[in-house]
Amino acid sequence: MTKTTVSVIKADVGSVAGHVVTHEKILAKCRENLGKALDEGLLEDFYVTNCGDDTELIMTHRNGEENEEVHKLAFDTFMDATAVARELKLYGAGQDMLSDTFSGNIKGMGPGVAEMEFKERPSDPVIIFCCDKTEPGAFNMPLFRMFADPFNTAGLVIDPSLHDGFKYEVYDVMEHKKVIMSCPEEIYDLAALLGTISRYVIKHIYRKSDNEIAASVSTERLNLMAGKYVGKDDPVAIVRSQSGFPAAGEVVEPFAFPHLVGGWMRGSHNGPLMPVAQKNAHPIRFDGPPRVIALGFQIAESKLVGPMDLFDDPAYDRSRALASEIAEYMRRHGPFEPHRLPADEMEYTTLPGVLEKLEGRFTDID
Ligand code: 13P
Ligand code: 13P
Ligand code: MG
Ligand code: MG
């Protein structure tokens, strides 16, 4: 049987009332383009959605990862959607499109990409997470807990098919290097890296027993230039579940804790990651707090069955209430760390100008 590829490609191409939410006409344009690709046989299925101002193209096909035609389709679709955004004078029209010509692979051109290719199991549940107002490292803690923490994933302890553990492929986005680490043996070393969320970012997770792909995360733009930090990107992740992977409930469990992530307000503040239903994925207060949605699909002969909107669940009400409380607490810090990000991680800053102005006024402390 031929393999199935799931490609999630996303970009912020414009939004309504500042950076809040994408527009129905952008989504409609994306559906129109992907619909044509479906008719022409390039895609097997697709689902277009948004988390805040980020538009996500969820696509299934049989062409493998990094397929030039699929990437070009996504690129052209975002360019067409940008034209719609310009007509409507949406905010940040074409925001994430760093280039206006496609050159073989969408990576490094602005949009974020998470992909995986696999041979379908008899039943293949896949969960797709999409975030707004944060950065790829936002997935570090949840993915660590999903695939390495027995207090989150009971299956690591009680299910023989998970008991061997998982391997993490981690990118050093500053040095443009990657490393593979094996859990549970290297769990403390892995945590030592992943705790530095702005530098070490999970790219892939594999099941150790057979190298089967388990999770894939978008890390784009952060790794564009070695040694130079090039900004945050609202990330997406694909996670497989059940039968040899964490159960769906184990996959969504880490998000019950709204951990602090970077990317709120002007990409320069820390705030709690709030798990929400897709209909509530519109970050408003202080352009936030940061949001995550989870869409659950069954993959059947490369078709997307679903989605089930997994955080549209009263069981997450307490997490949302906690996130609101944390948001309030963080906001009270105003322009002070740790609400405001450290100087080297802010998306933009007046600090060099301020220092220049004060240059002659700084004197030695005796
Ligand atoms: P079912 O017995 O309902 O298939 O559930 C199994 C499971 O893994 C739930 O976490
Ligand atoms: P986005 O990265 O979601 O476009 O948000 C930018 C911003 O500065 C919000 O305050
Ligand atoms: Mg935006
Ligand atoms: Mg965004």
Side-chain angles (χ1 to χ4, degrees), residues 10 12 19 51-54 95-96 131-133 234:
K10 52 85 37 186
D12 176 349
H19 290 281
C51 183
D53 59 7
D54 293 274
Q95 178 185 286
D96 286 356
C131 299
D132 191 25
K133 306 299 178 262
D234 297 321

Side-chain angles (χ1 to χ4, degrees), residues 13 26 79 81-90 93-95 97:
V13 292
I26 286 188
M79 290 308 282
T82 295
V84 173
R86 292 218 162 97
E87 256 171 54
L88 298 170
K89 292 181 73 175
L90 295 188
Q95 178 185 286
M97 306 308 284

Side-chain angles (χ1 to χ4, degrees), residues 24-332:
E24 187 50 45
K25 284 190 175 166
I26 286 188
L27 301 175
K29 174 52 78 181
C30 293
R31 289 182 187 120
E32 181 191 320
N33 283 23
L34 299 195
K36 278 185 209 150
L38 187 73
D39 293 342
E40 287 160 11
L42 177 62
L43 299 183
E44 290 290 327
D45 205 354
F46 69 85
Y47 187 80
V48 176
T49 191
N50 72 292
C51 183
D53 59 7
D54 293 274
T55 297
E56 274 90 23
L57 313 178
I58 300 169
M59 302 172 283
T60 52
H61 54 94
R62 298 197 185 274
N63 307 299
E65 291 175 39
E66 307 211 7
N67 177 265
E68 185 167 342
E69 277 180 275
V70 172
H71 281 208
K72 185 172 189 315
L73 169 68
F75 182 86
D76 291 345
T77 298
F78 285 134
M79 290 308 282
D80 288 353
T82 295
V84 173
R86 292 218 162 97
E87 256 171 54
L88 298 170
K89 292 181 73 175
L90 295 188
Y91 200 73
Q95 178 185 286
D96 286 356
M97 306 308 284
L98 297 181
S99 164
D100 51 19
T101 41
F102 182 73
S103 63
N105 189 314
I106 203 164
K107 284 185 177 173
M109 306 192 83
V113 185
E115 292 184 293
M116 58 167 68
E117 185 187 32
F118 53 84
K119 189 164 165 288
E120 283 179 28
R121 295 169 290 167
S123 176
D124 220 304
V126 165
I127 296 172
I128 293 171
F129 294 98
C130 310
C131 299
D132 191 25
K133 306 299 178 262
T134 186
E135 55 186 328
F139 283 118
N140 279 12
M141 193 202 286
L143 286 172
F144 178 81
R145 299 198 58 210
M146 245 178 254
F147 289 92
D149 177 4
F151 277 75
N152 180 85
T153 299
L156 293 167
V157 179
I158 66 174
D159 180 346
S161 68
L162 276 75
H163 194 69
D164 280 350
F166 290 85
K167 291 193 300 196
Y168 286 72
E169 183 184 53
V170 179
Y171 279 14
D172 175 345
V173 297
M174 302 289 183
E175 292 295 326
H176 202 60
K177 286 185 178 339
K178 59 183 183 180
V179 63
I180 291 184
M181 299 177 77
S182 191
C183 288
E185 314 88 273
E186 296 184 288
I187 194 168
Y188 298 154
D189 290 346
L190 180 68
L193 293 192
L194 295 184
T196 306
I197 59 174
S198 60
R199 174 161 183 171
Y200 298 102
V201 178
I202 297 166
K203 182 64 190 173
H204 294 113
I205 301 173
Y206 301 93
R207 187 164 57 202
K208 209 162 61 186
S209 56
D210 57 3
N211 267 330
E212 189 64 22
I213 183 74
S216 177
V217 183
S218 69
T219 54
E220 271 61 40
R221 222 152 129 193
L222 281 167
N223 64 0
L224 239 190
M225 277 172 274
K228 187 165 178 283
Y229 191 73
V230 281
K232 308 224 182 316
D233 288 274
D234 297 321
V236 290
I238 310 171
V239 181
R240 296 175 78 194
S241 82
Q242 303 290 151
S243 315
F245 299 112
E250 292 166 336
V251 171
V252 291
E253 176 64 7
F255 296 93
F257 171 60
H259 66 300
L260 290 174
V261 296
W264 192 2
M265 182 47 82
R266 299 172 185 272
S268 304
H269 293 79
N270 282 311
L273 186 63
M274 184 188 260
V276 291
Q278 196 280 329
K279 66 176 188 291
N280 292 323
H282 39 57
I284 293 173
R285 184 181 176 188
F286 199 57
D287 288 357
R291 309 284 157 122
V292 57
I293 62 169
L295 300 182
F297 294 93
Q298 294 290 140
I299 311 289
E301 307 305 330
S302 295
K303 302 288 185 287
L304 290 162
V305 179
M308 164 70 199
D309 189 345
L310 296 167
F311 292 145
D312 189 5
D313 176 1
Y316 280 89
D317 284 349
R318 276 191 71 174
S319 309
R320 291 186 273 266
L322 178 58
S324 293
E325 208 172 316
I326 296 166
E328 182 60 31
Y329 173 83
M330 295 301 282
R331 280 300 302 126
R332 299 271 185 101

